[in-house]
Amino acid sequence: MLNQTQMQEMIEQAETDLLHTYNRYQIVLDHGDGGYLYDVTGKKYLDFCAGIAVFALGYNYPGYNEALKAQIDKILHTSNYFYNEPAIKAAHLMKKASGMDRVFFTNSGAEAVEGALKAAVKYAYTRDGHADHEIIAMERSFHGRTYGALSVTGNAHYREPFGNMPGTVRFAEYNNIDSVKALVNDKTCAIILEVVQGEGGLTPADPEFLGEIRKICDEKDILLIFDEIQCGMGRTGDMYAWQKFGIRPDIMTTAKALGCGVPVGAFLLNEKTAKSSLVAGDHGTTYGGNPFACAAVCKVLEIYEEDHIIEHVREVAPYFTEVLDSLVEKYDFILERRGRGLMQGLYFDRPVADVIRKAMDAGLILINAGSNILRFLPPLVVTKEQVDEMAAILDGVLSEIK
Ligand SMILES: *Cc1c(COP(=O)(O)O)cnc(C)c1O
């Protein structure tokens, strides 16, 4: 165990050696257990961030670590010149969970978005014989930091310093079907959106909005891409957030909780899209779909099914929502709650940085989404007792705000 000074020295070392692209909290994490994290000084935190919606199963979930260790002793990597058993099994389980037809494994969410965009553009190219197509994305969306993913991210501040983005992307207002219709033209090849916006403020899509978009896509042979990287994998009470409404995408991205800590993502296509988009030579990745990452995916999906993880979300989420609503009720400076299931945000009339810092001091990890929104992404296995524990700590912090 280290003392406070030693932890501070580690942080100074980090700030000397790592490129400063994050303003990190002044904590060096050491290990996790269940729904709790511990820093290198031994301080314990209740975790309502879950590695940004990654640790759906919390830490040390029974059977998960063992499955990874077993795969390490077999083989970690094969390259995509060969087949491997975990990838074959993982793809099959993912098809079953999503109802999609084809899977391409990536190493991250941004890469899943890149692949989804390439698949959509290639589909239109195959049909039309030219490649000057356009994509419609949403304002306040977040799809990742690589050039392609950034090009569809609806935050001008993230894009501005990096100049021309690949392709032509037009931004519509989320949940405003007229603003989408106004952008559709003969060149439009895809519409991409999050079924619940994550970074942009925990805003769920209206089912009518999704239905109208699906209709436009069907009429004009435009591909609908749902980014389920944050809202997927059971977080909203359905395996994928769109499943609640039965409005199917042509292409879907997933990552974050897919590996529950092992970096892995995927994009999935329906057969119509797969049949006339990416073919051999069009796309690839060295690590994507390697046996280690896919062993994690297999184990995660097995656990979801055997231990009824989504049923648990459905049971605990209404209680969680009620607890958050009572905070909105109690404090004037909290304007509203937004979200679905275990993906929630509280909108403040002021920056939340101070609340987050004080909560951490009191042993609760929360993050923000934009400067004024407090974001809650607990592990999906969170208990009602842990919701109470969170609320007690947060209430203590909030009660001191003047
Ligand atoms: C996190 C996130 C991404 C990017 O995933 P990375 O693994 O960070 O590249 C893309 N889309 C959404 C909705 C996300 O929340």
Side-chain angles (χ1 to χ4, degrees):
M1 215 89 81
L2 304 184
N3 63 34
Q4 203 63 37
T5 312
Q6 290 167 314
M7 182 162 86
Q8 209 49 53
E9 281 165 9
M10 283 176 96
I11 291 170
E12 276 157 31
Q13 187 73 59
E15 288 303 335
T16 311
D17 297 340
L18 294 171
L19 186 65
H20 187 87
T21 51
Y22 304 99
N23 293 317
R24 297 177 210 262
Y25 297 110
Q26 300 298 294
I27 295 170
V28 183
L29 288 173
D30 184 65
H31 65 281
D33 196 32
Y36 297 89
L37 283 164
Y38 298 81
D39 71 19
V40 290
T41 73
K43 180 170 170 167
K44 183 181 178 181
Y45 304 87
L46 176 63
D47 181 18
F48 267 61
C49 162
I52 320 183
V54 163
F55 284 99
L57 302 172
Y59 309 92
N60 301 332
Y61 193 91
Y64 175 82
N65 294 2
E66 292 75 6
L68 291 188
K69 287 173 192 166
Q71 188 60 47
I72 287 172
D73 290 336
K74 270 176 120 177
I75 190 164
L76 281 172
H77 181 74
T78 56
S79 92
N80 282 310
Y81 284 124
F82 305 94
Y83 299 96
N84 75 74
E85 209 180 337
I88 295 166
K89 194 171 153 198
H92 199 69
L93 291 173
M94 287 171 69
K95 280 180 57 174
K96 210 171 117 205
S98 65
M100 304 295 287
D101 299 315
R102 298 274 173 174
V103 182
F104 184 101
F105 287 109
T106 67
N107 310 291
S108 69
E111 280 175 80
V113 172
E114 294 285 337
L117 297 176
K118 278 180 73 177
V121 169
K122 180 71 196 298
Y123 176 89
Y125 174 83
T126 305
R127 183 192 56 207
D128 301 340
H130 53 85
D132 58 344
H133 294 94
E134 299 180 3
I135 292 169
I136 296 175
M138 299 297 142
E139 285 162 12
R140 303 184 66 89
S141 65
F142 183 83
H143 298 292
R145 299 299 201 143
T146 56
Y147 258 105
L150 191 59
S151 76
V152 289
T153 289
N155 181 334
H157 172 73
Y158 287 172
R159 293 193 312 271
E160 192 189 77
F162 303 105
N164 291 336
M165 295 284 135
T168 304
V169 179
R170 301 184 187 280
F171 290 94
E173 194 186 324
Y174 196 65
N175 281 335
N176 178 345
I177 193 64
D178 291 334
S179 87
V180 176
K181 283 180 180 165
L183 299 179
V184 173
N185 63 41
D186 290 343
K187 288 185 177 176
T188 310
C189 72
I191 299 177
I192 182 169
L193 62 95
E194 298 152 87
V195 178
V196 182
Q197 287 195 330
E199 312 292 317
L202 297 305
T203 310
D206 297 333
E208 301 75 33
F209 178 67
L210 294 179
E212 287 288 315
I213 286 191
R214 182 67 267 178
K215 210 154 65 183
I216 295 169
C217 289
D218 288 340
E219 280 166 17
K220 301 195 178 287
D221 198 21
I222 295 168
L223 297 177
L224 180 54
I225 306 171
F226 284 162
D227 181 345
E228 289 267 348
I229 290 168
Q230 191 162 153
C231 63
M233 293 299 293
R235 185 149 289 278
T236 65
D238 287 278
M239 189 57 162
Y240 293 104
W242 58 265
Q243 290 172 329
K244 183 179 170 76
F245 312 119
I247 296 161
R248 290 174 172 278
D250 300 292
I251 306 175
M252 186 192 96
T253 60
T254 176
K256 289 197 163 94
L258 181 62
C260 282
V262 172
V264 58
F267 63 94
L268 294 88
L269 310 98
N270 61 14
E271 199 58 35
K272 172 189 114 164
T273 311
K275 232 173 34 206
S276 46
S277 59
L278 302 173
V279 296
D282 279 339
H283 199 54
T285 158
T286 298
Y287 268 118
N290 93 3
F292 181 67
C294 289
V297 175
C298 289
K299 193 63 196 178
V300 166
L301 291 174
E302 271 171 35
I303 291 170
Y304 268 57
E305 179 150 345
E306 283 166 16
D307 295 353
H308 311 291
I309 300 300
I310 291 173
E311 288 79 351
H312 175 78
V313 172
R314 288 183 183 173
E315 200 192 304
V316 77
Y319 181 70
F320 179 46
T321 308
E322 216 176 278
V323 164
L324 294 179
D325 282 341
S326 69
L327 292 172
V328 178
E329 196 69 16
K330 183 168 174 184
Y331 294 105
D332 286 345
F333 50 80
I334 307 179
L335 307 174
E336 63 167 320
R337 174 190 61 78
R338 275 195 205 174
R340 260 179 69 188
L342 295 181
M343 180 175 181
Q344 298 284 344
L346 291 181
Y347 280 59
F348 281 57
D349 70 358
R350 66 195 70 192
V352 294
D354 209 37
V355 172
I356 292 174
R357 227 174 356 254
K358 284 178 177 149
M360 278 183 200
D361 288 344
L364 168 66
I365 293 187
L366 286 172
I367 53 171
N368 63 310
S371 65
N372 290 14
I373 306 168
L374 201 54
R375 179 162 41 153
F376 301 78
L377 298 166
L380 303 190
V381 294
V382 69
T383 61
K384 288 182 183 174
E385 291 70 32
Q386 287 168 337
V387 171
D388 288 338
E389 189 183 342
M390 177 278 294
I393 297 173
L394 184 57
D395 194 32
V397 171
L398 296 176
S399 65
E400 281 167 21
I401 294 179
K402 283 160 217 57

